[in-house]
Amino acid sequence: MDTEPSNTPERDFTAELDHYIVLKLVLAEYRGTRREMPQGFTLCSVAERARVARTEKRLLQTYFSDWKAPLRGRLEGWRPDSPVFALHHGKLVGGVYLVDASAFDPDPRWGELHYAFMDPAYRGCGVYSAIYAAAVARALSWGLEGLYLNSDRHMLPEVNERWGAVRWRTFEKRVEPKRRKTVGERIERSFVRLRRQLARVAGRTPPGA
């Protein structure tokens, strides 16, 4: 039977917190669902991304009030298949962004998940767990061994813990003026990128492969 949107009231797992909770998931210890997408749902292909871009922006603005621009290429470690999106009969209903780099760790074996979002009408359909499982499978196919999960959303940390992640650090939110990076910081970041590229050449799957 096809899965339809849920009208059952429930606590909103995407409600915003006043702090960030960072968890670490060793991929070999993932214990979430291994199921495929529910009937009627499919994973969004790279070729379909442009068609759902407007819906992507609208859903992101629902949960991230200051959202303005698409993420494509703006996250370190971005790949063409970084978006892990779910479609319901062609309509975008939720997703998350997977990258093969993390701001918390220069180790090229660790990536990160960013900006989980879900159309409120589709909560409770089992779609997010399938998205998460697809992201884990994709990270493994890239040669990653672990993921950092940084969230300021209600209940998401608890969900991630049930699936095998462990809490690493908590950060209070601070509003600070943006500043330009120093020359030394830019050079150091360039070396980090170079080390990641060398690691890929030495045995990791090249981006976009």
Side-chain angles (χ1 to χ4, degrees), residues 69-143:
L71 280 172
R72 291 183 290 279
R74 295 196 299 117
L75 289 175
E76 185 177 357
W78 180 271
R79 296 190 181 199
D81 55 345
S82 282
V84 185
F85 290 174
L87 307 179
H88 183 241
H89 297 302
K91 173 188 175 183
L92 177 64
V93 298
V96 70
Y97 299 89
L98 170 69
V99 293
D100 68 3
S102 173
F104 302 110
D105 194 334
D107 189 334
R109 297 171 298 178
W110 282 77
E112 191 168 340
L113 286 181
H114 295 272
Y115 301 107
F117 65 91
M118 178 65 60
D119 186 326
Y122 289 85
R123 290 199 304 269
C125 294
V127 181
Y128 181 69
S129 62
I131 292 172
Y132 195 102
V136 168
R138 192 167 299 178
L140 286 168
S141 75
W142 290 357

Side-chain angles (χ1 to χ4, degrees), residues 17 19-23 149-153 157-158 167-171:
L17 301 172
H19 57 280
Y20 296 100
I21 299 173
V22 183
L23 301 94
L149 316 167
N150 180 21
S151 178
D152 63 347
R153 301 290 137 169
E158 287 79 7
R167 297 203 183 205
W168 180 59
R169 296 184 66 178
T170 299
F171 298 95

